[in-house]
Amino acid sequence: MRSPLLIASALLLTAAGGLVWSRQSESRQWARARPALPATVGDSAPGLDARLAACAARFASWPADRVALAEFAQLCQANGRLAEAMQAYEALLLVDPDEARWPHLLASLLTGYGRHADALPLLERAATLAPNQPIVWLRLGEVRLKSNRPDEAVAAFTTVLKLKPGDPHALFGLARCDLQSGRLTAARSRLQEAVAADPALPGAQSLLATVWERLGNPAAAEAARRRVSGDGRYTEAPDPWAVDLAAHGHDPYALLVAASALSSDGQPRSALPLLARALTLAPQDARLHRQLGNTHVRLGDLSFARAPLERALTLAPGDEKIRTDLLNLLRELKDSPAAEQVVLDGLTACPDSNAFRFEAGLIAARAGRNEEAIARFTEVWTRESGLTAAPCELAATYFAAGREAEGAAVLEKLAAQHPDDAGVLTLLVRRGISTRDPRTGDWLRRAQTASRPPPLLAELRQAYFARFGVMP
């Protein structure tokens, strides 16, 4: 008969062996499931390679380091390594199955590729794990709608409104469901409610115009179109779970593109942290300083815009777009001496720029340096014979200099080349009134057809009547 001690020892050995086998099995499974390191990128994304490698080293063995794996996934997503990001999120579903962010973020990548069928169960899983998070239900509703499941989409959008009453994005989603199901009146009501909640909601006025058209009310449709802001394109609601690019971004160009998109979508303030991050990575990149300056311009912070635009021009003095941006800002700031210096420096830094030749001509004309202005405008006209701004200014400068015949010759040539140009016709009318030219009435009628601003047309008509005693 075996002793109890021997039996207990045998059981312990058996249990230990089973545990070792289980851990070995889990380690083998993890070796197959863990994401691979993406190819190195070097200096194009400073610090990214080292940060990814450090994360990979921490989750290389089982049990996996969840924090390192999550950081790896978000680093990959933030820097455009999307295949590796999806692998990492799939791995997180295994090692951190109770966290709703991972199926949510993986679904966002899949929907970007149009893989709605694959994203749908992930979003449903996220909604189960985080039932009180509005963004989860909002994304679920959007994917259900795109998957031609409007009734289920309605349920998701309705849940958003229970969690966040009056949410304009949920109302917009419900309106799309109504429209897809032919419920035009309901869609109109939803959209009107969404616009009342957020008058600047992208896409709402455009869709409302479509609904009004289908309801047979073209006047209301046109009124809605006039209220469209930007390009009228719908943009998704901000996602509080989205990857923080300012924390995880290492590619300055990708950060620049993301910041530019935010600014274009009416969210310039949200672009500022991305640009700050990009500038820590690439402080000598003139494009980043230019975008930062223009973002401040969009925000109305003109005094804050000047320094980054001046820095951008210092880094890239031959960039005509940067120089033009700074010139426009200095004019807004009414700093004429600095604006003139930017133009004059541009003649050397941008020797092929007709725009700066033209600007230099304007500066000379305003200063009474007519011969210099005439030379500038003539050169621009010679180089860009199809445009009218330079020859119009040339004619005006000739007249200011008392060279009537030469100014008249320029206008006659312009009138022959551009018989319906509003700017040319305006100059002709003014000149005709001054000289009592019998053709002035015809020029004025053509200027009216060319849709000059009403105050200007009224002024010209009054001057014509005062000169000729009749209306054209």
Side-chain angles (χ1 to χ4, degrees):
M1 184 175 179
R2 297 181 180 179
S3 82
L5 183 58
L6 288 175
I7 294 173
S9 299
L11 288 173
L12 285 172
L13 287 172
T14 300
L19 182 60
V20 169
W21 183 89
S22 176
R23 286 179 175 173
Q24 288 176 343
S25 176
E26 290 173 347
S27 295
R28 287 193 295 271
Q29 291 176 5
W30 176 241
R32 292 191 295 270
R34 71 180 176 222
L37 264 175
T40 57
V41 294
D43 293 338
S44 64
L48 178 62
D49 293 333
R51 197 169 170 188
L52 286 172
C55 289
R58 288 164 55 196
F59 65 69
S61 58
W62 185 260
D65 186 322
R66 298 179 185 182
V67 174
L69 183 57
E71 183 180 354
F72 181 91
Q74 293 173 92
L75 281 169
C76 288
Q77 182 175 354
N79 294 281
R81 276 58 187 173
L82 301 186
E84 290 83 0
M86 287 192 282
Q87 291 176 5
Y89 286 129
E90 288 170 354
L92 280 165
L93 297 179
L94 297 174
V95 302
D96 196 8
D98 296 327
E99 175 54 63
R101 285 181 299 159
W102 313 139
H104 177 79
L105 289 172
L106 178 55
S108 73
L109 291 176
L110 291 169
T111 55
Y113 285 106
R115 294 171 57 183
H116 300 123
D118 294 326
L120 197 53
L122 292 167
L123 290 170
E124 289 170 343
R125 176 174 175 176
T128 300
L129 292 169
N132 295 320
Q133 180 59 258
I135 192 64
V136 173
W137 292 102
L138 192 59
R139 294 289 185 266
L140 178 57
E142 290 166 350
V143 172
R144 282 175 172 174
L145 184 58
K146 291 175 183 176
S147 302
N148 199 30
R149 297 163 70 172
D151 293 340
E152 294 176 47
V154 166
F157 291 132
T158 301
T159 302
V160 177
L161 292 175
K162 290 178 181 177
L163 295 170
K164 194 176 180 183
D167 182 84
H169 291 276
L171 291 166
F172 184 86
L174 287 170
R176 291 172 61 203
C177 293
D178 290 328
L179 187 60
Q180 186 168 319
S181 300
R183 298 187 294 269
L184 297 179
T185 303
R188 182 200 62 196
S189 299
R190 296 287 193 190
L191 288 169
Q192 290 173 326
E193 195 177 348
V195 169
D198 182 3
L201 180 67
Q205 294 289 0
S206 298
L207 190 58
L208 185 57
T210 299
V211 172
W212 279 122
E213 285 283 4
R214 291 178 61 178
L215 285 169
N217 192 334
E222 182 57 32
R225 289 191 189 94
R226 286 196 297 269
R227 291 191 291 268
V228 171
S229 59
D231 60 6
R233 177 175 54 87
Y234 174 73
T235 53
E236 292 182 335
D239 187 346
W241 283 353
V243 173
D244 184 354
L245 293 179
H248 294 92
H250 282 262
D251 184 335
Y253 180 72
L255 289 164
L256 173 62
V257 170
S260 178
L262 285 169
S263 190
S264 297
D265 287 342
Q267 303 176 64
R269 197 165 299 281
S270 298
L272 294 177
L274 305 189
L275 293 169
R277 169 65 174 166
L279 283 165
T280 64
L281 298 166
Q284 303 303 311
D285 191 329
R287 300 170 302 175
L288 299 174
H289 292 279
R290 179 195 179 204
Q291 185 66 38
L292 179 59
N294 287 335
T295 301
H296 281 300
V297 169
R298 279 180 175 265
L299 289 166
D301 301 332
L302 301 188
S303 58
F304 289 100
R306 182 167 182 167
L309 284 176
E310 287 177 335
R311 178 59 178 158
L313 190 60
T314 299
L315 292 168
D319 190 308
E320 187 173 347
K321 292 180 179 179
I322 293 175
R323 189 172 293 275
T324 300
D325 289 344
L326 179 56
L327 175 61
N328 292 335
L329 173 65
L330 292 171
R331 285 175 173 161
E332 286 286 327
L333 294 171
K334 303 188 185 317
D335 191 341
S336 297
E340 290 187 11
Q341 192 60 53
V342 167
V343 170
L344 297 176
D345 291 345
L347 295 173
T348 302
C350 309
D352 295 325
S353 170
N354 288 322
F356 286 107
R357 286 188 180 86
F358 180 75
E359 293 290 346
L362 293 175
I363 291 170
R366 284 194 295 267
R369 302 193 303 271
N370 291 328
E371 294 306 315
E372 178 187 341
I374 287 168
R376 296 289 187 196
F377 295 139
T378 300
E379 184 180 11
V380 175
W381 191 18
T382 301
R383 293 164 66 99
E384 294 184 340
S385 58
L387 302 181
T388 61
C392 282
E393 293 294 340
L394 176 60
T397 308
Y398 273 133
F399 294 137
R403 296 164 63 173
E404 305 288 333
E406 290 165 287
V410 170
L411 286 183
E412 292 287 349
K413 185 175 181 179
L414 275 177
Q417 293 175 342
H418 306 279
D420 298 315
D421 184 276
V424 173
L425 289 168
T426 300
L427 275 178
L428 285 168
V429 171
R430 292 190 185 283
R431 183 63 184 164
I433 291 171
S434 174
T435 61
R436 285 185 175 273
D437 192 308
R439 296 170 293 178
T440 307
D442 177 58
W443 292 333
L444 181 52
R445 283 189 292 271
R446 284 158 54 192
Q448 292 173 190
T449 305
S451 300
R452 298 301 287 168
L456 175 58
L457 285 174
E459 175 201 333
L460 293 175
R461 287 172 62 84
Q462 290 172 3
Y464 182 91
F465 182 80
R467 188 64 162 168
F468 293 99
V470 296
M471 295 304 292

